[in-house]
Amino acid sequence: DPALRLNPLPTAVDLISFDAVYKNNKKQVILTWETASELDNIGFNIYRSRTIDGVRKQINTEIIAAQNPGSTSGALYTFVDDTIKRNKKYYYWLESIDINGESTLHGPAKIKTVK
């Protein structure tokens, strides 16, 4: 999939962190990320796979819009994945997309759910 290629020229997102936390009581994975700046960023997509080198599937239905597009200011983001199964391992990638349609993958963040 050409949209998932690793881009050697990063988009104008300065990513500070990308983390995943499993909430057993809710059967959810909470993904959080923080940007330092979003100069030419239009938004993000989240991809998930069961293995680190497996097929990545987009799990957000529409682009997660940048909070500060065109700005040198950053933002905090949260995405909840409630389509997981217990006792499984998941890998997540964050894709940032710039105003020219170029994308950069960040990650993976790894999580193991429990029974």
Side-chain angles (χ1 to χ4, degrees):
D1 185 343
L4 292 179
R5 70 189 182 287
L6 292 176
N7 188 343
L9 301 172
T11 56
V13 169
D14 186 3
L15 191 68
I16 295 171
S17 65
F18 175 52
D19 299 301
V21 175
Y22 176 60
K23 299 289 187 185
N24 188 29
N25 59 335
K26 296 187 177 186
K27 278 181 44 181
Q28 297 175 331
V29 171
I30 311 297
L31 299 159
T32 57
W33 64 98
E34 182 177 1
T35 60
S37 66
E38 303 183 351
L39 195 56
D40 289 330
N41 188 51
I42 60 167
F44 303 92
N45 289 313
I46 303 283
Y47 293 88
R48 182 181 70 197
S49 178
R50 292 289 317 283
T51 60
I52 196 161
D53 56 354
V55 174
R56 298 178 193 122
K57 295 192 178 186
Q58 185 176 330
I59 59 173
N60 56 306
T61 54
E62 32 184 78
I63 193 168
I64 301 162
Q67 292 181 26
N68 294 314
S71 173
T72 56
S73 298
L76 291 170
Y77 296 86
T78 301
F79 181 86
V80 177
D81 181 7
D82 57 6
T83 63
I84 58 164
K85 295 185 176 156
R86 293 179 190 254
N87 204 28
K88 303 289 181 193
K89 200 179 290 183
Y90 294 100
Y91 295 86
Y92 293 91
W93 287 264
L94 177 68
E95 176 187 41
S96 56
I97 304 167
D98 74 10
I99 58 174
N100 299 313
E102 295 292 323
S103 67
T104 301
L105 279 181
H106 310 274
K110 176 183 163 185
I111 199 81
K112 178 156 178 27
T113 63
V114 292
K115 294 180 182 179

